[in-house]
Amino acid sequence: HVQLVESGGGSVQDGGSLSLSCAASESTYDRGYCMAWFRQASGKEREGVAAICGSGYTDYAGSVAGRFTVSRDGAKNIIRLQMDSLAPDDTATYYCAADLVTDASSLFETDYYYWGQGTQVTVS
């Protein structure tokens, strides 16, 4: 059972930057898992933000492409989400997810079984 813990959320001004981290209890890379970031704003459905898979494949939602960067660190059981040029519309709870999913479905919420508890990002 993979446990995921997010960190790095907080409050930032419009145009600012934040970096989120997600630590997995086991090496998801060795399992060939994709790891992804999702977010859920108040009153809205959860949406995929960015994903990185064992193949090196990455994917981004159109709303964050060019502003957010997902990466995996050398230990391969931590992923990070660098968020630049943040806007109020980015305000949400950000969740980390992991599972053995295809590259093509790496931003599909329903394909993920393991989830973190979320970290709040507020842009004002």
Side-chain angles (χ1 to χ4, degrees):
H1 184 79
V2 178
Q3 294 180 318
L4 303 172
V5 179
E6 303 97 336
S7 61
S11 297
V12 66
Q13 291 187 336
D14 191 358
S17 297
L18 276 177
S19 181
L20 305 181
S21 295
C22 172
S25 58
E26 304 171 31
S27 177
T28 56
Y29 178 83
D30 290 342
R31 294 187 176 192
Y33 279 19
C34 289
M35 293 185 71
W37 291 97
F38 291 79
R39 68 184 181 186
Q40 187 168 23
S42 180
K44 296 185 178 180
E45 294 185 353
R46 189 154 54 185
E47 62 174 352
V49 175
I52 184 166
C53 298
S55 62
Y57 176 85
T58 58
D59 199 7
Y60 296 91
S63 59
V64 307
R67 299 188 298 123
F68 291 12
T69 303
V70 63
S71 62
R72 190 191 300 267
D73 81 349
K76 299 176 180 175
N77 64 341
I78 296 177
I79 64 167
R80 305 188 194 283
L81 184 68
Q82 177 64 38
M83 305 184 292
D84 298 319
S85 301
L86 284 162
D89 283 350
D90 296 314
T91 294
T93 300
Y94 283 71
Y95 298 89
C96 178
D99 210 333
L100 187 64
V101 303
T102 63
D103 292 354
S105 64
S106 59
L107 289 180
F108 292 177
E109 175 187 0
T110 55
D111 284 12
Y112 286 88
Y113 181 79
Y114 301 108
W115 290 86
Q117 293 186 325
T119 185
Q120 179 66 35
V121 172
T122 302
V123 185
S124 60

